[in-house]
């Protein structure tokens, strides 16, 4: 089936995208939401899905194949989210694109792909991202390494932590 045609189908028949247990009906956790409502039909990880299928144009999230506004798609019932859950998922997608762009612009040149760098050089210790051999906390280290500032550091640390644990989303 051609992607554009199936998007039309998905729009006309939102109940086709209505799979998923009602236990998540109230969930506000973006990882639970993605896993329960989207992963059945799309990539296992939100990060992969966003990198492959979502673009940002003028600050708006758009489907890469269909060129549709993601907000419009989800608001019409695709994935069967409540309006509040739509906001959670959209914010999460922005977060993924932000972290991906930061890593690409500031780190890739020396460290290569985030997922490989994180898995070979970093680890989690008591919930804190650390250098696997140096044992130093990455958020402290980045204050004087890599030219990120403020919230950019926490965004990248969060994304790299996700690469290490593999539980939530992958960057690239
Ligand atoms: C029942 C299956 C199903 C579920 C569940 C589902 N989708 Fe989809 N989705 C599709 C199909 C089919 C398409 C159109 C073909 C394509 O691009 O993969 C699509 C298209 C999209 C697109 C447009 C992609 C593009 O390249 O234009 C986005 C964005 C999207 N879905 C997001 C989501 C999100 C977010 C969720 C969870 C809240 C979700 N979908 C849940 C089946 C599903
Ligand atoms: C100009 C090349 C360069 C750039 C750009 C760069 N790094 Fe590094 N990075 C290195 C080198 C070389 C080391 C190893 C030397 C050291 O540990 O001080 C390192 C070490 C690290 C470590 C420490 C790992 C440990 O074992 O403690 C982390 C974490 C890290 N980089 C993350 C980043 C992030 C995130 C960015 C982007 C914001 C970035 N780096 C940008 C070259 C770079």
């Amino acid at each position: 089936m051609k992607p554009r045609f199936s998007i039309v189908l998905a729009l006309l028949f939102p109940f086709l995208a209505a799979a998923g247990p009602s236990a998540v009906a109230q969930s506000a956790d973006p990882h639970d939401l993605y896993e329960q409502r989207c992963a059945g039909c799309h990539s296992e990880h939100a990060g992969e899905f966003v990198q492959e299928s979502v673009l940002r144009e003028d600050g708006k999230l758009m489907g890469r194949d269909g060129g549709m506004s993601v907000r419009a798609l989800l608001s019409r019932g695709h994935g069967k989210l409540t309006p509040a859950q739509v906001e959670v998922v959209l914010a999460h997608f922005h977060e993924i694109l932000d972290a991906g762009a930061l890593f690409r612009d500031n780190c890739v040149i020396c460290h290569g792909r985030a997922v490989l760098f994180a898995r070979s050089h970093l680890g989690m210790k008591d919930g804190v991202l650390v250098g696997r051999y140096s044992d130093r906390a990455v958020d402290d280290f980045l204050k004087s390494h890599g030219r990120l500032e403020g919230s950019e550091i926490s965004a990248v640390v969060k994304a790299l932590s996700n690469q290490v644990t593999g539980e939530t989303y992958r960057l690239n």
Side-chain angles (χ1 to χ4, degrees):
M1 194 186 307
K2 284 241 162 51
R4 205 172 284 272
F5 179 60
S6 49
I7 284 169
V8 171
L9 278 184
L11 287 173
L12 291 176
F13 303 106
F15 53 84
L16 288 175
S22 57
V24 292
Q26 301 308 317
S27 178
D29 181 280
H31 308 126
D32 289 351
L33 283 174
Y34 182 85
E35 198 176 296
Q36 313 253 4
R37 297 290 186 175
C38 321
C41 298
H42 295 292
S43 309
E44 186 187 349
H45 294 283
E48 280 161 353
F49 176 65
V50 171
Q51 304 286 339
E52 282 164 16
S53 303
V54 178
L55 295 171
R56 199 155 39 188
E57 278 171 18
D58 299 331
K60 292 197 184 123
L61 299 171
M62 311 291 286
R64 195 179 279 270
D65 285 341
M68 281 262 334
S69 147
V70 180
R71 175 182 292 281
L73 185 68
L74 298 182
S75 299
R76 283 181 219 173
H78 186 89
K80 213 188 175 195
L81 302 176
T82 65
Q85 290 171 334
V86 170
E87 297 308 319
V88 170
V89 167
L90 292 175
H92 187 49
F93 284 8
H94 276 296
E95 199 178 75
I96 291 168
L97 287 172
D98 288 344
L102 285 170
F103 196 86
R104 204 165 44 240
D105 294 348
N106 297 283
C107 324
V108 159
I109 189 167
C110 297
H111 289 296
R113 291 182 64 202
V115 62
L116 299 180
F117 169 62
R119 297 212 172 144
S120 53
H121 289 87
L122 308 178
M124 299 301 289
K125 196 175 174 187
D126 302 327
V128 175
L129 185 69
V130 296
R132 183 176 286 186
Y133 307 109
S134 68
D135 227 21
R136 71 191 148 198
V138 173
D139 55 357
D140 264 353
F141 183 65
L142 291 183
K143 285 175 189 157
S144 55
H145 177 92
R147 299 186 180 178
L148 298 179
E149 41 194 56
S151 62
E152 295 177 343
I153 294 181
S154 41
V156 168
V157 168
K158 191 170 162 194
L160 289 172
S161 305
N162 285 332
Q163 317 299 304
V164 172
T165 59
E167 283 160 12
T168 51
Y169 67 87
R170 305 234 189 104
L171 266 190
N172 56 29

